[in-house]
Amino acid sequence: MKPVVETLRWVGDRPGYVELVDQTRLPEEHVQLAVRTVDEMRDAIRRLAVRGAPAIGVAAAYGVLLGVQELDESDAANVVGVAQEVAATLAKARPTAVNLFWALDRMKRRAEREFAGKAGGARIVAALFEEARAIHAEDRAQCRAMGEHGVRLLKDGCTVLTHCNAGALATGGMGTALAPIYVARERGLSVKVYADETRPLLQGARLTAWELQQSGVDVTLITDNMAASLMASGRVDLVLVGSDRIARNGDVCNKIGTYGVAVLAREHGIPFYAVAPLTTFDPKIASGAEIPIEERAPEEVTHGFGRRTAPIGVKVWNPAFDVTPARLVTGIVTEVGIIESPTTEKVEAALTRGGVAVPTLRRGST
Ligand code: MRU
Protein backbone atom coordinates (compact mmCIF):
# COMPACT_ATOMS: atom_id res chain seq x y z
CA MET A 1 0.00 0.00 0.00
CA LYS A 2 1.34 3.41 -0.92
CA PRO A 3 1.35 6.00 1.88
CA VAL A 4 -1.90 7.93 1.85
CA VAL A 5 0.03 11.13 1.18
CA GLU A 6 3.50 11.88 -0.16
CA THR A 7 4.75 14.41 2.36
CA LEU A 8 7.73 15.63 0.39
CA ARG A 9 9.72 14.92 -2.74
CA TRP A 10 12.59 16.25 -4.77
CA VAL A 11 11.35 17.58 -8.09
CA GLY A 12 13.48 17.59 -11.23
CA ASP A 13 17.11 16.69 -11.45
CA ARG A 14 19.63 19.47 -11.03
CA PRO A 15 18.85 22.19 -10.34
CA GLY A 16 15.71 20.93 -8.68
CA TYR A 17 13.57 21.88 -5.71
CA VAL A 18 11.59 20.32 -2.89
CA GLU A 19 7.84 20.07 -3.04
CA LEU A 20 6.16 19.46 0.27
CA VAL A 21 2.62 19.30 1.60
CA ASP A 22 2.11 22.55 3.48
CA GLN A 23 0.94 21.07 6.78
CA THR A 24 -0.05 24.48 8.15
CA ARG A 25 -2.91 24.52 5.61
CA LEU A 26 -4.42 21.11 6.36
CA PRO A 27 -7.16 20.01 6.71
CA GLU A 28 -8.86 22.86 4.87
CA GLU A 29 -6.48 22.85 1.92
CA HIS A 30 -4.20 20.10 0.62
CA VAL A 31 -1.64 22.24 -1.18
CA GLN A 32 2.01 21.84 -2.12
CA LEU A 33 4.72 24.29 -1.15
CA ALA A 34 7.74 24.67 -3.43
CA VAL A 35 10.94 25.12 -1.41
CA ARG A 36 13.85 26.41 -3.52
CA THR A 37 16.38 27.87 -1.08
CA VAL A 38 18.04 26.99 2.20
CA ASP A 39 16.31 29.88 3.96
CA GLU A 40 12.95 28.73 2.67
CA MET A 41 13.66 25.24 3.98
CA ARG A 42 14.71 26.52 7.39
CA ASP A 43 11.53 28.59 7.50
CA ALA A 44 9.34 25.64 6.41
CA ILE A 45 10.77 23.50 9.21
CA ARG A 46 10.51 26.29 11.78
CA ARG A 47 6.88 27.10 11.10
CA LEU A 48 5.91 23.42 10.83
CA ALA A 49 4.99 23.44 7.15
CA VAL A 50 7.00 20.22 7.28
CA ARG A 51 7.11 18.56 10.69
CA GLY A 52 7.48 15.21 12.43
CA ALA A 53 10.96 13.96 13.27
CA PRO A 54 11.73 11.69 10.27
CA ALA A 55 10.20 14.13 7.75
CA ILE A 56 12.29 16.95 9.18
CA GLY A 57 15.41 14.81 8.67
CA VAL A 58 14.58 14.05 5.03
CA ALA A 59 13.67 17.70 4.36
CA ALA A 60 16.96 18.88 5.86
CA ALA A 61 18.96 16.45 3.72
CA TYR A 62 17.29 17.85 0.61
CA GLY A 63 17.90 21.33 2.06
CA VAL A 64 21.66 20.72 1.84
CA LEU A 65 21.21 19.97 -1.88
CA LEU A 66 19.38 23.27 -2.34
CA GLY A 67 22.49 24.97 -0.98
CA VAL A 68 25.09 23.23 -3.14
CA GLN A 69 23.34 22.38 -6.40
CA GLU A 70 24.25 25.56 -8.25
CA LEU A 71 27.77 26.15 -6.95
CA ASP A 72 30.83 26.43 -9.15
CA GLU A 73 31.86 22.77 -9.13
CA SER A 74 35.48 23.49 -10.03
CA ASP A 75 36.13 24.45 -6.39
CA ALA A 76 35.69 21.26 -4.36
CA ALA A 77 36.79 22.87 -1.08
CA ASN A 78 34.09 25.51 -1.49
CA VAL A 79 31.42 22.86 -2.15
CA VAL A 80 32.31 21.12 1.14
CA GLY A 81 32.51 24.43 2.99
CA VAL A 82 29.07 25.50 1.75
CA ALA A 83 27.59 22.08 2.64
CA GLN A 84 28.94 22.54 6.18
CA GLU A 85 27.54 26.08 6.40
CA VAL A 86 24.13 25.02 5.11
CA ALA A 87 24.04 22.17 7.62
CA ALA A 88 24.82 24.65 10.42
CA THR A 89 22.03 26.95 9.23
CA LEU A 90 19.42 24.21 8.99
CA ALA A 91 20.45 22.80 12.38
CA LYS A 92 19.13 26.01 13.94
CA ALA A 93 15.59 25.42 12.62
CA ARG A 94 14.31 23.37 15.58
CA PRO A 95 16.15 21.88 18.59
CA THR A 96 14.40 18.69 19.70
CA ALA A 97 13.93 16.14 16.89
CA VAL A 98 17.31 14.43 16.64
CA ASN A 99 16.61 13.22 13.09
CA LEU A 100 17.37 16.77 11.94
CA PHE A 101 20.92 16.66 13.32
CA TRP A 102 21.41 13.03 12.33
CA ALA A 103 20.53 13.76 8.66
CA LEU A 104 22.62 16.93 8.48
CA ASP A 105 25.58 15.17 10.04
CA ARG A 106 25.27 12.33 7.55
CA MET A 107 25.21 14.78 4.62
CA LYS A 108 28.20 16.68 5.98
CA ARG A 109 30.21 13.53 6.59
CA ARG A 110 29.50 12.32 3.05
CA ALA A 111 30.81 15.58 1.57
CA GLU A 112 33.91 15.46 3.79
CA ARG A 113 34.59 11.80 2.95
CA GLU A 114 34.36 12.47 -0.79
CA PHE A 115 36.65 15.49 -0.45
CA ALA A 116 39.17 13.52 1.60
CA GLY A 117 39.09 10.89 -1.17
CA LYS A 118 40.12 13.63 -3.65
CA ALA A 119 36.71 13.88 -5.34
CA GLY A 120 36.10 17.00 -7.41
CA GLY A 121 33.23 19.41 -6.76
CA ALA A 122 30.92 17.75 -9.32
CA ARG A 123 31.42 14.35 -7.73
CA ILE A 124 30.77 15.75 -4.24
CA VAL A 125 27.49 17.33 -5.35
CA ALA A 126 26.47 14.07 -7.06
CA ALA A 127 27.34 12.15 -3.89
CA LEU A 128 25.18 14.49 -1.81
CA PHE A 129 22.28 13.81 -4.16
CA GLU A 130 22.79 10.07 -3.67
CA GLU A 131 22.95 10.53 0.09
CA ALA A 132 19.74 12.58 0.35
CA ARG A 133 17.84 10.13 -1.84
CA ALA A 134 19.20 7.25 0.27
CA ILE A 135 18.06 8.94 3.50
CA HIS A 136 14.58 9.31 2.02
CA ALA A 137 14.43 5.73 0.69
CA GLU A 138 15.72 4.29 3.98
CA ASP A 139 13.12 6.24 5.92
CA ARG A 140 10.39 4.77 3.72
CA ALA A 141 11.72 1.24 4.30
CA GLN A 142 12.06 1.82 8.06
CA CYS A 143 8.42 2.92 8.27
CA ARG A 144 7.33 -0.27 6.52
CA ALA A 145 9.50 -2.41 8.83
CA MET A 146 8.11 -0.68 11.95
CA GLY A 147 4.62 -1.32 10.60
CA GLU A 148 5.38 -5.02 10.11
CA HIS A 149 6.81 -5.38 13.64
CA GLY A 150 4.15 -3.23 15.27
CA VAL A 151 1.18 -4.97 13.65
CA ARG A 152 1.87 -7.90 16.00
CA LEU A 153 0.53 -5.70 18.81
CA LEU A 154 -2.84 -5.25 17.08
CA LYS A 155 -5.73 -7.69 17.26
CA ASP A 156 -8.70 -7.65 14.92
CA GLY A 157 -11.30 -5.26 16.36
CA CYS A 158 -8.87 -3.49 18.74
CA THR A 159 -8.81 0.22 19.55
CA VAL A 160 -5.69 2.40 19.62
CA LEU A 161 -5.23 5.85 21.14
CA THR A 162 -2.59 8.08 19.53
CA HIS A 163 -1.24 11.56 20.27
CA CYS A 164 0.02 14.19 17.82
CA ASN A 165 0.70 13.03 14.26
CA ALA A 166 3.14 10.20 13.68
CA GLY A 167 1.75 9.12 10.35
CA ALA A 168 2.67 9.51 6.69
CA LEU A 169 2.67 13.28 7.11
CA ALA A 170 5.45 13.02 9.69
CA THR A 171 7.80 10.83 7.65
CA GLY A 172 9.04 10.04 4.16
CA GLY A 173 6.93 6.87 4.20
CA MET A 174 3.79 5.45 5.85
CA GLY A 175 4.55 6.83 9.31
CA THR A 176 5.81 5.49 12.62
CA ALA A 177 2.99 5.10 15.17
CA LEU A 178 0.39 4.88 12.41
CA ALA A 179 2.40 2.38 10.31
CA PRO A 180 1.15 -0.70 12.24
CA ILE A 181 -2.40 0.56 11.72
CA TYR A 182 -1.87 0.90 7.97
CA VAL A 183 -0.30 -2.58 7.80
CA ALA A 184 -3.22 -3.99 9.82
CA ARG A 185 -5.58 -2.47 7.30
CA GLU A 186 -3.66 -4.04 4.39
CA ARG A 187 -4.10 -7.38 6.13
CA GLY A 188 -7.84 -6.92 6.51
CA LEU A 189 -7.81 -6.35 10.28
CA SER A 190 -10.24 -3.83 11.66
CA VAL A 191 -8.57 -1.30 13.95
CA LYS A 192 -10.28 1.71 15.43
CA VAL A 193 -8.27 4.82 16.35
CA TYR A 194 -8.91 7.61 18.84
CA ALA A 195 -6.82 10.69 18.02
CA ASP A 196 -6.00 13.23 20.72
CA GLU A 197 -6.47 16.68 19.19
CA THR A 198 -3.03 17.68 20.59
CA ARG A 199 -3.07 21.24 21.91
CA PRO A 200 -1.85 23.80 21.13
CA LEU A 201 -1.21 23.23 17.40
CA LEU A 202 -3.77 20.46 16.90
CA GLN A 203 -1.60 18.03 14.93
CA GLY A 204 -4.00 15.28 16.02
CA ALA A 205 -7.13 17.08 14.82
CA ARG A 206 -5.71 18.70 11.71
CA LEU A 207 -3.32 15.99 10.53
CA THR A 208 -3.93 12.57 12.13
CA ALA A 209 -7.69 12.73 11.78
CA TRP A 210 -7.25 13.93 8.19
CA GLU A 211 -4.79 11.28 7.05
CA LEU A 212 -6.61 8.40 8.77
CA GLN A 213 -9.88 9.56 7.27
CA GLN A 214 -8.27 9.78 3.80
CA SER A 215 -7.08 6.20 4.14
CA GLY A 216 -10.42 4.88 5.33
CA VAL A 217 -9.37 4.07 8.90
CA ASP A 218 -12.14 4.39 11.52
CA VAL A 219 -10.96 7.46 13.47
CA THR A 220 -12.61 9.35 16.32
CA LEU A 221 -11.29 12.70 17.49
CA ILE A 222 -11.15 13.65 21.18
CA THR A 223 -9.77 16.68 22.99
CA ASP A 224 -6.69 15.92 25.08
CA ASN A 225 -8.53 16.17 28.38
CA MET A 226 -10.92 13.35 27.36
CA ALA A 227 -8.22 10.66 27.27
CA ALA A 228 -8.59 9.74 30.98
CA SER A 229 -12.34 9.21 30.73
CA LEU A 230 -11.92 7.29 27.50
CA MET A 231 -9.43 4.93 29.11
CA ALA A 232 -11.58 4.58 32.23
CA SER A 233 -14.51 3.57 30.02
CA GLY A 234 -12.48 0.59 28.81
CA ARG A 235 -12.43 1.68 25.19
CA VAL A 236 -8.64 1.79 24.65
CA ASP A 237 -6.61 -1.41 24.18
CA LEU A 238 -3.27 0.13 23.31
CA VAL A 239 -1.48 3.49 23.03
CA LEU A 240 0.83 4.08 20.05
CA VAL A 241 2.85 7.30 19.78
CA GLY A 242 5.84 8.49 17.76
CA SER A 243 8.96 10.15 19.12
CA ASP A 244 11.31 13.03 18.42
CA ARG A 245 14.26 11.74 20.42
CA ILE A 246 14.87 8.64 22.51
CA ALA A 247 17.67 8.60 25.07
CA ARG A 248 20.03 5.70 25.60
CA ASN A 249 18.01 4.54 28.64
CA GLY A 250 14.74 4.42 26.68
CA ASP A 251 13.24 7.73 27.89
CA VAL A 252 10.94 8.88 25.08
CA CYS A 253 10.61 12.52 24.08
CA ASN A 254 7.49 13.28 22.04
CA LYS A 255 4.84 15.95 21.54
CA ILE A 256 3.77 17.75 24.71
CA GLY A 257 1.04 15.74 26.40
CA THR A 258 2.52 12.34 25.61
CA TYR A 259 3.86 11.97 29.16
CA GLY A 260 0.36 12.55 30.55
CA VAL A 261 -1.04 9.90 28.21
CA ALA A 262 1.63 7.45 29.43
CA VAL A 263 0.77 8.12 33.09
CA LEU A 264 -2.91 7.55 32.32
CA ALA A 265 -2.14 4.36 30.42
CA ARG A 266 -0.18 2.98 33.38
CA GLU A 267 -3.01 3.83 35.77
CA HIS A 268 -5.47 1.99 33.55
CA GLY A 269 -3.23 -0.99 32.78
CA ILE A 270 -3.08 -0.12 29.06
CA PRO A 271 0.14 -0.93 27.12
CA PHE A 272 1.99 2.21 25.97
CA TYR A 273 4.29 1.79 22.96
CA ALA A 274 6.47 4.32 21.16
CA VAL A 275 7.19 3.62 17.49
CA ALA A 276 10.39 5.16 16.13
CA PRO A 277 13.25 4.37 13.76
CA LEU A 278 16.79 4.06 15.10
CA THR A 279 17.48 7.49 13.55
CA THR A 280 15.32 8.92 16.37
CA PHE A 281 17.56 7.45 19.07
CA ASP A 282 20.30 9.66 20.47
CA PRO A 283 23.04 7.32 21.68
CA LYS A 284 25.06 10.30 22.93
CA ILE A 285 22.70 11.04 25.80
CA ALA A 286 22.18 8.84 28.82
CA SER A 287 18.68 9.97 29.76
CA GLY A 288 15.79 12.17 28.67
CA ALA A 289 16.89 14.89 31.10
CA GLU A 290 19.52 15.90 28.52
CA ILE A 291 17.05 16.43 25.66
CA PRO A 292 16.62 20.10 24.66
CA ILE A 293 12.93 20.90 24.73
CA GLU A 294 11.75 23.48 22.20
CA GLU A 295 9.72 26.34 23.61
CA ARG A 296 7.49 28.01 21.08
CA ALA A 297 5.75 31.37 20.78
CA PRO A 298 3.12 32.30 23.42
CA GLU A 299 0.67 33.16 20.63
CA GLU A 300 0.25 29.45 19.91
CA VAL A 301 -1.48 29.28 23.30
CA THR A 302 -3.12 32.70 23.53
CA HIS A 303 -4.41 32.85 19.95
CA GLY A 304 -5.49 29.32 19.09
CA PHE A 305 -5.85 29.64 15.35
CA GLY A 306 -6.63 33.28 14.95
CA ARG A 307 -8.78 34.49 17.79
CA ARG A 308 -7.44 35.71 21.14
CA THR A 309 -8.46 33.24 23.85
CA ALA A 310 -6.46 34.64 26.79
CA PRO A 311 -6.09 38.08 28.38
CA ILE A 312 -3.49 40.49 26.99
CA GLY A 313 -0.21 40.24 28.89
CA VAL A 314 -0.84 36.86 30.56
CA LYS A 315 2.34 34.81 31.04
CA VAL A 316 2.58 31.65 28.95
CA TRP A 317 4.72 28.50 29.12
CA ASN A 318 4.67 26.67 25.80
CA PRO A 319 7.02 23.67 25.61
CA ALA A 320 6.49 21.70 22.40
CA PHE A 321 7.63 18.34 23.80
CA ASP A 322 7.83 16.31 27.00
CA VAL A 323 9.74 13.25 28.14
CA THR A 324 8.08 9.99 29.13
CA PRO A 325 10.36 8.05 31.47
CA ALA A 326 11.33 4.59 30.24
CA ARG A 327 9.57 2.94 33.22
CA LEU A 328 6.21 4.01 31.74
CA VAL A 329 7.06 2.68 28.28
CA THR A 330 5.84 -0.86 27.62
CA GLY A 331 8.01 -1.08 24.53
CA ILE A 332 9.58 0.74 21.60
CA VAL A 333 8.84 -0.54 18.11
CA THR A 334 11.80 -0.01 15.77
CA GLU A 335 12.74 -1.29 12.32
CA VAL A 336 14.92 -3.97 13.95
CA GLY A 337 12.20 -5.26 16.26
CA ILE A 338 10.41 -4.34 19.47
CA ILE A 339 12.42 -3.34 22.55
CA GLU A 340 10.17 -4.56 25.38
CA SER A 341 10.50 -2.73 28.76
CA PRO A 342 13.40 -0.60 27.49
CA THR A 343 16.62 -0.29 29.48
CA THR A 344 20.03 1.10 28.55
CA GLU A 345 21.32 -2.41 27.79
CA LYS A 346 18.37 -3.28 25.55
CA VAL A 347 18.54 0.03 23.68
CA GLU A 348 22.28 -0.43 23.12
CA ALA A 349 21.68 -3.97 21.84
CA ALA A 350 19.03 -2.75 19.37
CA LEU A 351 21.26 0.07 18.13
CA THR A 352 24.14 -2.35 17.64
CA ARG A 353 21.85 -4.76 15.77
CA GLY A 354 20.85 -1.89 13.50
CA GLY A 355 24.47 -0.96 12.79
CA VAL A 356 24.38 2.28 14.81
CA ALA A 357 27.64 3.21 16.53
CA VAL A 358 27.17 3.35 20.30
CA PRO A 359 29.71 5.79 21.76
CA THR A 360 31.19 5.41 25.21
CA LEU A 361 29.47 7.83 27.54
CA ARG A 362 31.34 9.82 30.13
CA ARG A 363 31.68 7.93 33.44
CA GLY A 364 28.67 8.35 35.66
CA SER A 365 26.35 9.36 32.83
CA THR A 366 24.68 5.94 32.39
O1 MRU B 1 6.00 19.67 16.56
P1 MRU B 1 5.84 18.51 15.63
O2 MRU B 1 4.52 18.49 14.94
O3 MRU B 1 7.00 18.37 14.69
O4 MRU B 1 5.88 17.25 16.60
C1 MRU B 1 5.83 15.96 16.03
C2 MRU B 1 5.75 14.88 17.02
O5 MRU B 1 5.83 15.09 18.21
C3 MRU B 1 5.64 13.49 16.47
O6 MRU B 1 4.91 12.67 17.34
C4 MRU B 1 7.05 12.92 16.32
O7 MRU B 1 7.85 13.75 15.54
C5 MRU B 1 7.04 11.57 15.74
S1 MRU B 1 6.76 11.66 14.01
C6 MRU B 1 6.84 10.19 13.28
Side-chain angles (χ1 to χ4, degrees):
M1 186 170 108
K2 269 183 41 192
V4 61
V5 56
E6 189 176 21
T7 297
L8 76 171
R9 68 190 183 107
W10 182 264
V11 181
D13 190 16
R14 277 197 268 152
Y17 65 97
V18 180
E19 192 174 78
L20 49 88
V21 175
D22 186 344
Q23 299 193 33
T24 64
R25 311 271 291 271
L26 284 170
E28 287 158 304
E29 295 170 294
H30 181 186
V31 292
Q32 305 291 331
L33 177 70
V35 178
R36 298 176 191 277
T37 67
V38 174
D39 285 348
E40 284 174 8
M41 182 58 87
R42 184 181 54 184
D43 183 56
I45 295 172
R46 214 172 244 170
R47 62 184 188 84
L48 274 53
V50 58
R51 33 68 51 204
I56 292 173
V58 176
Y62 285 138
V64 174
L65 300 185
L66 294 174
V68 299
Q69 64 177 346
E70 291 188 274
L71 292 176
D72 170 5
E73 294 180 343
S74 66
D75 187 348
N78 185 50
V79 172
V80 179
V82 171
Q84 289 165 335
E85 273 168 33
V86 169
T89 300
L90 291 173
K92 293 193 194 108
R94 293 187 76 187
T96 303
V98 77
N99 303 63
L100 173 66
F101 311 105
W102 170 85
L104 291 172
D105 196 51
R106 183 162 153 180
M107 294 294 285
K108 228 169 37 181
R109 276 188 290 114
R110 179 71 190 262
E112 288 162 358
R113 212 168 48 240
E114 295 289 337
F115 185 60
K118 304 270 183 280
R123 173 63 207 139
I124 298 172
V125 173
L128 287 173
F129 263 82
E130 280 167 23
E131 201 68 29
R133 287 192 193 281
I135 287 172
H136 195 171
E138 287 165 27
D139 185 53
R140 228 178 262 129
Q142 286 153 4
C143 289
R144 160 62 59 182
M146 287 183 279
E148 305 273 348
H149 288 297
V151 75
R152 300 203 316 258
L153 304 171
L154 304 178
K155 294 197 179 66
D156 193 26
C158 74
T159 300
V160 173
L161 173 72
T162 191
H163 190 75
C164 195
N165 173 266
L169 284 166
T171 67
M174 59 171 23
T176 59
L178 300 190
I181 293 159
Y182 290 132
V183 172
R185 196 174 156 71
E186 281 173 6
R187 297 187 183 173
L189 303 181
S190 141
V191 176
K192 190 172 159 153
V193 179
Y194 279 94
D196 278 348
E197 74 172 345
T198 317
R199 281 279 289 154
L201 292 184
L202 307 186
Q203 286 92 333
R206 295 186 300 108
L207 309 177
T208 300
W210 180 82
E211 77 163 82
L212 289 176
Q213 213 179 43
Q214 295 292 308
S215 62
V217 172
D218 180 344
V219 57
T220 304
L221 180 64
I222 60 169
T223 62
D224 301 335
N225 51 359
M226 294 170 187
S229 287
L230 184 74
M231 289 188 192
S233 75
R235 275 178 286 179
V236 180
D237 298 305
L238 181 76
V239 175
L240 292 178
V241 296
S243 176
D244 292 85
R245 198 186 291 222
I246 299 177
R248 187 112 148 212
N249 68 347
D251 288 351
V252 171
C253 178
N254 190 45
K255 178 53 56 192
I256 190 74
T258 303
Y259 174 36
V261 173
V263 171
L264 291 174
R266 175 59 54 92
E267 169 67 17
H268 293 92
I270 297 167
F272 174 96
Y273 282 87
V275 188
L278 297 183
T279 52
T280 296
F281 287 68
D282 186 347
K284 292 194 287 308
I285 59 167
S287 81
E290 295 173 58
I291 298 174
I293 302 291
E294 177 180 13
E295 289 199 22
R296 295 186 61 89
E299 290 73 27
E300 291 181 354
V301 178
T302 58
H303 289 72
F305 289 85
R307 191 173 158 263
R308 170 176 288 284
T309 53
I312 293 171
V314 71
K315 286 189 282 183
V316 171
W317 182 52
N318 184 20
F321 301 96
D322 61 24
V323 176
T324 299
R327 69 187 147 73
L328 296 179
V329 178
T330 311
I332 306 173
V333 180
T334 74
E335 70 272 32
V336 296
I338 302 180
I339 309 170
E340 297 285 356
S341 308
T343 59
T344 301
E345 293 68 31
K346 291 185 195 173
V347 168
E348 287 175 358
L351 291 172
T352 306
R353 216 168 42 250
V356 178
V358 180
T360 308
L361 292 177
R362 273 176 288 120
R363 262 158 68 105
S365 59
T366 43

